[in-house]
Amino acid sequence: MNHHLLLIIHLLSAAIWVGGHILLCVAYLPKALKEKDTKIILNYEKKYEPVGMTSLFLLVVTGILMAYKYGVTINYWFQFATPIESVVSSKLILLFTTAAFALSAQFRVLPKLKTNPRKLPEMTFHIVSVTTIGILMLIFGSFIRFGGF
Ligand code: HEM
């Protein structure tokens, strides 16, 4: 697929992934904490999850395809030998960290959050971490057009 088209899909997906998490952080999370109402987060997650997970999937697929177009194939990952490869490898590490947070939220925190508002601080930590990582991935991605780091 054409690199420009891949980049457009990557940017649209980044807008949905990062934007959706920022909205959760600045609008829904403070309300849930103030009212100690876990349903506010659970309802948002339910609506956002299909679109959020699709955008994350598209970010990974388009990101890897673009990395290949830059010559950063799987054999070069995690060597931190060239500037573009360093950005790609850093983004992959952040991606694995995101996956770890998502699994932990899905299997450890969310099931208990349904009945126990005392899990709200732990959920807050997960949400703020995934949002920060998403913003970092966006910033790291922006380095590629300047030659990487
Ligand atoms: C939450 C996940 C991600 C976000 C928010 C994100 C965001 C971005 C943004 C904003 C750009 C800048 C494009 C530009 O300069 O116009 C970018 C570029 C890029 N990203 Fe990602 N990205 C994510 C995941 C990934 C993954 C998993 C990979 C693959 C390992 C990847 C590989 C790339 C590449 C190769 C570029 C350079 C595209 C180009 O300018 O030609 N990204 N990303």
Side-chain angles (χ1 to χ4, degrees), residues 3 7 10-11 14 17-18 56 59-60 63-64 66-67 70 88 91-92 95 134 137-138 141-142 144-145:
H3 191 112
L7 181 58
H10 198 75
L11 291 176
W17 180 256
V18 180
L56 184 60
L59 277 167
V60 177
I64 290 175
M66 288 191 296
Y70 279 110
V88 171
K91 289 183 87 164
L92 285 167
L95 175 71
M137 285 174 94
L138 181 150
S142 73
I144 297 212
R145 69 167 75 193

Side-chain angles (χ1 to χ4, degrees), residues 30-42:
K31 194 167 189 283
L33 288 170
K34 198 170 157 210
E35 296 174 15
K36 293 193 175 44
D37 184 356
T38 60
K39 273 206 257 22
I40 295 170
I41 294 175
L42 293 167

